Amino acid sequence: AAAPRPLRILLAEDNPVNRRLACRMLEKKGHTVLTAEDGLEVLAMLEKETVDLILMDVQMPGMDGVEATRVIRGREVPGGFHVPIVALTAHAMSGDRDYCLQAGMDDYLTKPIQAGDLHRVLASVGASGCPDRATAPK
């Protein structure tokens, strides 16, 4: 399923090839993509930009995706806007998904990103404003 509306997506990915491929996949579906290469860039960008979704690489130099997520969640006001954050990781080890969700991420995708998995997440965000948090901590 496709997202019911175009989204503004912040893609945090330090690998230029992965970043370019993800941008193409997203832009082909009509989404606007902003990019950052590490967690510090993500935080700086969120100071001036509003996004519907963050696709966050877990392992980046400088500030990684988990640390950046914790900072973002710490800045959110209870009952206010909750920006959905989806982990992107090459790690598919047992416990990695739970680690990301416990850090405050809303969903988890493994790399290489599969189009069907990505579009499922985008459809969920576009329809509800936040991915299905049934498995994520409240």
Side-chain angles (χ1 to χ4, degrees):
R5 63 182 174 89
L7 302 172
R8 273 180 69 81
I9 300 168
L10 175 51
L11 171 65
E13 171 63 64
D14 63 313
N15 181 292
V17 173
N18 290 345
R19 193 170 50 248
R20 192 166 40 253
L21 289 172
C23 281
R24 282 191 187 141
M25 287 174 71
L26 295 164
E27 290 169 346
K28 255 178 119 172
K29 294 294 183 178
H31 304 293
T32 300
V33 183
L34 309 170
T35 61
E37 295 183 25
D38 64 33
L40 291 173
E41 276 190 50
V42 168
L43 297 177
M45 192 162 291
L46 291 175
E47 292 291 325
K48 57 186 176 186
E49 299 286 347
T50 301
V51 297
D52 298 304
L53 170 69
I54 301 171
L55 296 175
M56 183 83 77
D57 186 9
V58 173
Q59 291 189 327
M60 296 181 285
M63 180 183 281
D64 68 23
V66 170
E67 187 178 349
T69 297
R70 288 184 177 132
V71 171
I72 293 165
R73 295 297 180 232
R75 292 179 179 175
E76 288 179 342
V77 176
F81 180 71
H82 172 89
V83 63
I85 301 174
V86 176
L88 299 178
T89 182
H91 295 272
M93 303 289 290
S94 175
D96 287 338
R97 184 177 195 281
D98 290 338
Y99 175 70
C100 291
L101 295 177
Q102 288 171 2
M105 295 179 176
D106 299 284
D107 210 336
Y108 176 93
L109 293 174
T110 57
K111 295 190 269 185
I113 300 169
Q114 301 299 311
D117 293 336
L118 178 62
H119 297 310
R120 172 191 54 80
V121 168
L122 297 177
S124 178
V125 171
S128 68
C130 186
D132 178 8
R133 292 186 52 97
T135 58
K138 301 288 180 210

